[in-house]
Amino acid sequence: MKILSTNIAKPTSLIWNGKEVLTGIYKKPTNLPIYLGKEGVTNDEVSDKKVHGGEFKACYIFSHEHYAYWKNLYPNLAWSHGMFGENLTVSGLNEKDLYIGDIYEIGEALVQVTQPREPCYKFGIKFGTQNALKDFVEHGFPGTYVRILKEGFVKSGDTFKLIEQAKNSLTTWQFFDLLFSQNKDKALIKLAITNEALPLRKRDKIKKFLK
C-alpha cells in the first residue's frame, strides 16, 4: 500500500433538519506531510468527537481503487482525493486482506487497523442524497480507521510496511458485513468481541447479536 494523497479539512457549516452543524468531511489534498497524533491528525477538523477522532479513529484511510466505482455512480460531483473524508488516500488497500489489529509502519508513524467507517448523514449531504449511505453499505468497501501507536509525520509516496499481522482476527470487510448484514456469522462475532483493537463500545454492539 502507498499513500497517494494526504488530506485535511477546515470546518464547514451545514444545515440539517433546520439546524446548523459543523463537519470535517470536506477534506482537501495538501502538498505537505501530515502529523498523525494519538487523538487525531494535526490541523484537521473533527467536529463531532462522539463519532470521529479519538484513539480508535485517529486517522481514516480509503482506497484509491474504489474511486472509479463511485465516480460512475456520481459523475457530476467535484471529484478529488479526500472525497470520502479520508486523511490518507491509498493505493493497494483491499479491505478483504486487511485484518483488524494489523500493525503497519508508515513514514514516521506506527499505526494499527481498528474499524471500518460507518456512513452518516453528513456523507449523504456531501454526495447530494441520503441514498449514498445505502450505496456505501451495499458496496461494502468502507476503508478503515487506525489508531496511532507511534506518532509521526506521513507524506505522499510513503509505503505501508506490515510490522505485525493480527492473529485470530477478522478483516475490516468481514466486520463491516457483520454490522449491516441480516445473517450474522457467529464465529466472526466471537472473533470480533475478543479483539482489543476494537473499542469496547463497538465490541458490545456486536456481542448482542450472539443472543
Side-chain angles (χ1 to χ4, degrees):
M1 295 185 290
K2 182 179 178 179
I3 297 175
L4 298 183
S5 180
T6 56
N7 317 299
I8 58 175
K10 294 181 179 179
T12 300
S13 176
L14 300 173
I15 301 298
W16 177 251
N17 289 338
K19 296 182 180 180
E20 182 181 20
V21 294
L22 292 177
T23 180
I25 197 172
Y26 289 89
K27 301 203 189 307
K28 300 294 183 184
T30 174
N31 294 323
L32 300 173
I34 60 174
Y35 190 82
L36 307 188
K38 292 291 181 70
E39 295 294 316
V41 176
T42 299
N43 296 323
D44 180 48
E45 171 67 14
V46 177
S47 300
D48 189 348
K49 292 182 171 60
K50 292 180 180 179
V51 292
H52 298 294
E55 179 185 0
F56 291 92
K57 293 183 175 181
C59 176
Y60 177 44
I61 301 173
F62 194 79
S63 173
H64 170 75
E65 281 75 13
H66 300 327
Y67 266 69
Y69 171 86
W70 285 95
K71 285 181 179 180
N72 184 60
L73 281 184
Y74 296 92
N76 297 322
L77 297 180
W79 284 93
S80 68
H81 285 144
M83 190 69 182
F84 296 86
E86 77 270 21
N87 299 110
L88 302 177
T89 312
V90 173
S91 65
L93 186 156
N94 186 337
E95 289 89 339
K96 291 187 176 182
D97 298 326
L98 202 63
Y99 285 84
I100 293 172
D102 284 352
I103 297 174
Y104 288 89
E105 181 181 71
I106 327 167
E108 298 176 350
L110 196 67
V111 307
Q112 184 177 47
V113 175
T114 55
Q115 59 189 301
R117 191 257 186 82
E118 298 171 54
C120 69
Y121 71 91
K122 294 177 183 178
F123 181 84
I125 292 174
K126 185 173 185 182
F127 275 70
T129 172
Q130 293 302 309
N131 289 334
L133 279 66
K134 181 174 179 287
D135 293 333
F136 192 89
V137 170
E138 289 181 348
H139 188 224
F141 292 92
T144 188
Y145 285 104
V146 295
R147 66 174 165 181
I148 313 305
L149 303 181
K150 176 189 173 187
E151 297 183 342
F153 283 99
V154 300
K155 64 184 184 303
S156 296
D158 284 346
T159 56
F160 286 63
K161 179 182 178 183
L162 181 63
I163 300 300
E164 182 179 332
Q165 187 162 65
K167 298 179 176 63
N168 299 317
S169 186
L170 69 169
T171 67
T172 54
W173 186 89
Q174 288 173 318
F175 187 74
F176 191 72
D177 186 62
L178 275 181
L179 291 173
F180 294 101
S181 66
Q182 292 294 323
N183 299 313
K184 311 291 186 184
D185 186 323
K186 291 190 176 181
L188 290 179
I189 292 174
K190 291 177 181 178
L191 287 177
I193 63 178
T194 58
N195 195 320
E196 294 185 356
L198 286 168
L200 184 59
R201 183 177 63 178
K202 191 67 65 176
R203 284 183 273 160
D204 286 343
K205 180 178 179 179
I206 288 295
K207 190 175 182 179
K208 67 183 182 181
F209 294 120
L210 284 177
K211 297 178 181 179

